[in-house]
Amino acid sequence: MRRAVATAVVLAAAVAVPLTPVSSSAASPYKGANTAAVQDDFNGDGYRDLAIGAPDAANGGVEAAGSVVVLYGSASTVGATRRTVITQATTGIPGDPEEYDGFGTTVTSADLDRDGYADLIVGAPDEGVSGKSSRGTVTVVWGGPSGLKGGANIAPPTGFGDGRTYCRYGMSLATGDVDGDGVPDAAIGSDCEGATYRGPFTRAGKGTYDDRGSDFGATRGVVMGDVDGDGKAEQFWLPGPTDGDLRGPVYVITEQEGRVELPYADGHAGAIGDINGDGYGDLVTGISTDDSMSGGPAGWAHRGGEIQVLYGSAQGITAGQKPKVYQQDTAGVPGAAENGDMFGQSLSIGDVNKDGYADVLVGAPGEGVGTHKTAGTAVLLRGSAAGLTTAKAAGYTQDTAGVPGTVETGDQFGAAVHLADLNKDGKAETVVGAPTENSDGCVWVARGSASGPVLKGSANICGKSTGITVHGVKGYFGAALGSPHVEL
């Protein structure tokens, strides 16, 4: 089984939970791809919602079938009571829960059918298809005035992975408007090849297939976002480690230039946001595997892992740019670089204090805390007019005053991280997954403020409280959030 973590982790349990009734008003007609109003507002009440993957959750007696829990945003942010749980046993969701499918390994969202409600997109890269192990599936669950209901598979293109079995379709997901028509498009990574679909999508899950990305082979990461201010999202494909580049090559595909390699850039997963407030998206990539973890040749990330930043401009991100690199040996970054910290395993971009500069949250689930190995940490680096800075940087663990819970060996706090404004105050909440905490897994949620995340009164929401049940194995709730993580 797969897991992008240092310790072996298996299994959880979830049951289908009815949608908790929530009051909502219909969203206005769709006006643009991935706007804050509809990007992850599944019920149209004006508040962004939080999707949490529990890919090792059981369904009844079926171990590791997987599930996704959605917590609905509100003026008081999210909690365990206003929720729904989606599995492959949920009415209207295609497929059947089977052992080790991993439904919920990756999650993202966009209004694919342009009805004004965000739709949930779920990857199950370990699902077997037509007798082929780990072929993988991607499912879209449709948003609406009463929340998420019904779904369809986004099928891979004809000839996808011919002759291959372990393609793991859905191991990375991204959405964005690549042609500027106001309709979100979707890109899907796998161990075989990438696939892009132009929207709008029908309720049968069909978009228009575009072969961009299909010639990369394995595509561990895919990122979409506007880095040149033209209203069109560029696509960045991150194949992952190759024989000649263990740190992972980075390619950009634009409407004007086609495919361009960025020779100075590296990364296995990435995200885009405006860190320096100049109106252009900036690309942040993460490489969490260092030489101590590889079991093979040297040449991976800096000891303990790293992130890289490339800044957008009117010319976009060009081949001649050299990234700014941050790791735990960088002055001002909390912690110290140690073998297997996995700094950069997860990352997210958002403005936690409403100063107009996007901040970057980085997960390092392999970080030891005191004598507790792989307890994990999350590090917040601040955006500024000069770009990403270590000024006012902060690190959070379950040993940090005000963070609920107790630091324990193997919790993997930081395996997934997410920044999103869930209470509509203009300041992003900080969300950190600890998928191997206790038997079910938990997420930590802290409100944003002018000074950053508010630790006092922050919440630890665990899988059991959201409807997940656990038998004899771990739950892995919090392994995936709406921001990217490195999926091995």
Side-chain angles (χ1 to χ4, degrees), residues 11 70 84 134 137 139 141 163 197 199 235 246 302 304 312 328 330 355 359 362 371 384 412 422 460 473:
L11 320 184
V70 173
T84 191
S134 295
T137 61
T139 302
V141 186
Y197 302 86
Q235 273 189 325
L246 296 174
H302 182 278
Q328 287 183 297
T330 300
D355 66 353
D359 310 302
V362 185
T371 61
S384 73
Q412 298 182 78
L422 304 172
N460 206 37
V473 292

Side-chain angles (χ1 to χ4, degrees), residues 14 34 43 55 102 120 160 190 251 260 277 282 336 370 394 412 425 459 463:
N34 294 324
N43 60 357
L120 174 68
F160 171 80
S190 80
Y251 298 88
V260 176
D282 308 310
Q412 298 182 78
D425 67 353

